[in-house]
Amino acid sequence: MPKFKAFIFCMLVTLNFYTALYAQEFIVASLNKDSAYIGDLIEFAVRVELPKDAQIAANQNFKLEDFEISKVNIKRLSSSNVYELIFEVYAYKTGHLAIKPLTVFYINPDGTNNLFFTPEKTVDIKSLIADTKNPNIKDIKNLKKLNINTTFIVPIIILLIFIIILSMYIIKNIREQIEKAKIVILDDKTIALNGLNDLYQNRANLDIRDFYYKMSEILRTYMSKQYKFDAMEMTTSEFFEKVKEFLPSEININEFKSYLQIFNLARYADFTPTQKEREGNYLFTKKFLELI
């Protein structure tokens, strides 16, 4: 009897082994680029052939170390049950970073759950100006929502009504003054320089990230109008490659590259430019707009 039980046990182990071998997934992974700058989107594509009639589970929670996942797209490619998973990710550190294996769950035809791991891929992440290895410049987390006591709702509504009435009165006066004023048509460069001057004069009332965002917006809007390309949708590296074609001889290309990266770094938590640096970036932007 013990020998018979041992025989049955060995048969079950062998059956499970060959079943697992038959159901083995075939997986390949690729990256759309071998190197990138901090904040640039990287496409991490995974193709996997699942057992017949198996389906990838929905609502999976994917997380990566040193990378943020911006978007995940999962689709079935063929009747042979090949799936493609495309992860759009961006790094917030520099160096030779690994996109570590992700756990992906799928459902077998009999309703049981199974899983596979994506292959590990590496990519070189660079910064335009930073030489420090692996500086963590992950973006600031979203602010927590504030709970408002219901006893304040009525005063808030009254305050909003008062603000609306006051705003309507102010808008009416502004419209009347505009109609009386002489219309002056300004060129794009003058508009950009005036906007930059107003921004710098009002810098004390702006968060550091808002200041750099608005200064970048003024620069990119002017370049879009002047040279007929969509600068607002470009990454920092794409904008640099495009604009360097138009750089005047008075602007050093390496200085311009470092200057552009300031706008990228100013969006993150661990970078705070000094007053002197802010003034220097303002003066460089002004000089650039005047020469370009």
Side-chain angles (χ1 to χ4, degrees), residues 41 104 148 189 219 227 236 253 261 266:
L41 281 178
V104 182
I148 301 177
K189 179 172 291 191
L219 173 63
Y227 294 100
T236 302
I253 190 170
Q261 187 62 6

Side-chain angles (χ1 to χ4, degrees), residues 37-232:
Y37 290 101
I38 290 176
D40 287 353
L41 281 178
I42 303 168
E43 189 176 280
F44 173 50
V46 178
R47 287 198 179 191
V48 56
E49 182 177 352
L50 296 179
K52 184 179 180 181
D53 296 329
Q55 297 181 4
I56 290 183
N59 301 324
Q60 304 198 43
N61 186 21
F62 298 113
K63 289 185 178 180
L64 286 171
E65 182 181 350
D66 300 334
F67 293 85
E68 287 288 346
I69 299 177
S70 174
K71 184 180 179 182
V72 181
N73 184 30
I74 303 174
K75 58 182 178 181
R76 188 169 181 262
L77 297 181
S78 66
S79 57
S80 59
N81 216 31
V82 175
Y83 279 84
E84 183 178 61
L85 299 86
I86 298 179
F87 301 86
E88 291 186 2
V89 304
Y90 60 89
Y92 51 83
K93 286 186 178 181
T94 59
H96 193 65
L97 304 182
I99 300 179
K100 298 293 181 64
L102 291 164
T103 305
V104 182
F105 295 92
Y106 67 89
I107 304 172
N108 290 314
D110 60 2
T112 58
N113 294 322
N114 209 336
L115 59 86
F116 65 87
F117 298 97
T118 62
E120 181 175 305
K121 302 294 287 185
T122 58
V123 60
D124 286 315
I125 303 299
K126 298 176 286 187
S127 171
L128 286 172
I129 63 172
D131 294 327
T132 306
K133 296 296 182 183
N134 293 323
N136 188 341
I137 55 172
K138 189 173 182 180
D139 206 358
I140 297 174
K141 295 180 180 179
N142 294 330
L143 296 176
K144 294 182 178 180
K145 294 182 179 179
L146 298 176
N147 294 323
I148 301 177
N149 195 316
T150 54
T151 56
F152 295 106
I153 292 179
V154 174
I156 290 174
I157 292 174
I158 295 174
L159 179 61
L160 287 175
I161 293 173
F162 173 76
I163 292 173
I164 291 172
I165 295 173
L166 181 61
S167 300
M168 291 175 64
Y169 175 78
I170 293 173
I171 291 171
K172 181 182 177 182
N173 283 342
I174 291 174
R175 285 179 176 174
E176 290 176 354
Q177 304 222 355
I178 290 175
E179 290 175 0
K180 294 177 182 179
K182 181 179 178 180
I183 299 176
V184 179
I185 300 176
L186 302 176
D187 61 275
D188 292 334
K189 179 172 291 191
T190 303
I191 292 173
L193 288 170
N194 288 346
L196 182 65
N197 182 64
D198 291 341
L199 176 65
Y200 188 72
Q201 296 300 323
N202 195 41
R203 65 189 182 282
N205 300 322
L206 291 173
D207 178 83
I208 186 68
R209 296 173 67 185
D210 289 339
F211 174 81
Y212 275 92
Y213 175 84
K214 291 180 182 295
M215 188 157 59
S216 175
E217 184 179 36
I218 291 170
L219 173 63
R220 288 180 179 240
T221 299
Y222 172 74
M223 294 302 295
S224 297
K225 293 179 179 179
Q226 187 73 3
Y227 294 100
K228 312 302 180 187
F229 66 93
D230 191 2
M232 302 303 294

